Amino acid sequence: MQTGQFWQNIIRKGWAVLKKRRRCITILLILNGGLWGVPALYMALFTPPKPAIHLPSIQQLQKPLYDLYVVNWGFHTAIILEQPTGWRLGPHNHPQARYVEYGWGDKQFFMYSDTSISTTLAAGVLPTASVMYVRGRDQVPTAKDQVRQLYYRQVTSQQLYDLIEALEQSFLRHNGKRVEPYPSVPAFVGQFYPGREYYVIWSDCNAWTVRHLQAIEVASPVIPVILSEQVGPSLKGFQLILGAE
């Protein structure tokens, strides 16, 4: 049998199988569309718009370059930035910290450390409420803090300003100010605030980290970003200063 005829027969048989099973395939496609499309539509319709942020003037940034860190805590990544002198971006218990850590995630899973099956499944496929975690730090995390990886680079004052503005837009805000934080959670030094965006597995905490860094051109898109291990390879110009790849 000639090669051309052989492949024609393969294609013909494959098409015959598809026609017989087209009903099952159609159902699978509908379910897949519902799994991704319905949450995306819901989030597009009901996510509050980005609020206006009233930051101090960029002229108050007295340095040409500022320190920027990305920390991998295991399943979760966060951004740690050097706070401009005189600013108050930290939480109520440490507003003028030298460094401010920003993290974002599912309210139940992240803030309450609820890893039950129902919460995990809901966070995976349904748009769920989110929280912003903010911690003031006098120094960056070290190995004793159980950091898996810590990445470092410097950014310009303009990049830092743009990043802060974007991060602050992740908070649910009222009259331009962050909504009051939730009561303190014993397992966390920082404070949790209501988040503006919905959480879902294909738009999780690690995708959030990369998305904000990509906006100031210090990360490349890796689609889709789900795992914390995907964040490091997407970073641009960072040095791994703690942990191993």
Side-chain angles (χ1 to χ4, degrees), residues 156-229:
T156 67
S157 57
Q158 183 66 61
Q159 286 175 307
L160 180 73
Y161 193 87
D162 292 342
L163 177 60
I164 291 173
E165 182 176 40
L167 291 171
E168 290 292 324
Q169 288 177 327
S170 291
F171 292 84
L172 193 62
R173 306 181 81 91
H174 180 68
N175 293 331
K177 297 182 179 179
R178 298 174 183 171
V179 173
E180 286 298 305
Y182 292 105
S184 298
V185 179
F188 293 89
V189 176
Q191 291 183 287
F192 287 94
Y193 296 76
R196 179 181 64 85
E197 301 169 274
Y198 289 100
Y199 181 98
V200 73
I201 190 63
W202 42 263
S203 181
D204 68 356
C205 58
N206 302 311
W208 177 90
T209 297
V210 172
R211 186 167 67 247
H212 281 82
L213 297 175
Q214 184 185 353
I216 61 167
E217 300 182 344
V218 296
S220 303
V222 179
I223 300 174
V225 175
I226 296 177
L227 304 176
S228 61
E229 288 77 10

Side-chain angles (χ1 to χ4, degrees), residues 10-237:
I10 293 294
I11 294 171
R12 190 179 301 112
K13 290 178 181 179
W15 179 245
V17 171
L18 287 175
K19 287 197 294 183
K20 289 180 181 179
R21 299 184 180 179
R22 63 183 182 276
R23 191 171 180 180
C24 294
I25 294 172
T26 300
I27 293 173
L28 287 174
L29 290 174
I30 291 173
L31 290 174
N32 184 64
L35 180 64
W36 304 107
V38 172
L41 178 61
Y42 181 91
M43 293 162 67
L45 291 175
F46 296 105
T47 299
K50 290 183 178 180
I53 306 297
H54 304 294
L55 296 177
S57 170
I58 192 174
Q59 305 303 323
Q60 295 186 19
L61 273 66
Q62 303 169 4
K63 299 168 57 177
L65 296 173
Y66 285 83
D67 295 337
L68 180 65
Y69 300 84
V70 176
V71 57
N72 179 1
W73 292 110
F75 70 92
H76 168 81
T77 55
I79 296 170
I80 301 176
L81 55 83
E82 180 184 357
Q83 178 164 218
T85 303
W87 287 34
R88 300 176 62 86
L89 299 173
H92 291 339
N93 59 7
H94 205 349
Q96 290 185 292
R98 181 181 179 186
Y99 300 101
V100 181
E101 176 179 345
Y102 287 88
W104 178 84
D106 175 80
K107 179 181 177 181
Q108 293 297 123
F109 193 94
F110 187 15
M111 185 169 76
Y112 294 122
S113 301
D114 181 357
T115 57
S116 63
I117 294 176
S118 58
T119 295
T120 303
L121 289 176
V125 299
L126 299 176
T128 53
S130 70
V131 288
M132 282 292 294
Y133 176 68
V134 186
R135 176 176 176 176
R137 291 181 173 275
D138 293 322
Q139 62 181 16
V140 296
T142 63
K144 68 179 182 179
D145 297 308
Q146 299 182 333
V147 173
R148 178 169 293 183
Q149 285 129 5
L150 184 66
Y151 298 88
Y152 166 77
R153 67 161 288 163
Q154 290 189 311
V155 293
T156 67
S157 57
Q158 183 66 61
Q159 286 175 307
L160 180 73
Y161 193 87
D162 292 342
L163 177 60
I164 291 173
E165 182 176 40
L167 291 171
E168 290 292 324
Q169 288 177 327
S170 291
F171 292 84
L172 193 62
R173 306 181 81 91
H174 180 68
N175 293 331
K177 297 182 179 179
R178 298 174 183 171
V179 173
E180 286 298 305
Y182 292 105
S184 298
V185 179
F188 293 89
V189 176
Q191 291 183 287
F192 287 94
Y193 296 76
R196 179 181 64 85
E197 301 169 274
Y198 289 100
Y199 181 98
V200 73
I201 190 63
W202 42 263
S203 181
D204 68 356
C205 58
N206 302 311
W208 177 90
T209 297
V210 172
R211 186 167 67 247
H212 281 82
L213 297 175
Q214 184 185 353
I216 61 167
E217 300 182 344
V218 296
S220 303
V222 179
I223 300 174
V225 175
I226 296 177
L227 304 176
S228 61
E229 288 77 10
Q230 294 178 272
V231 174
S234 76
L235 301 178
K236 295 167 60 177

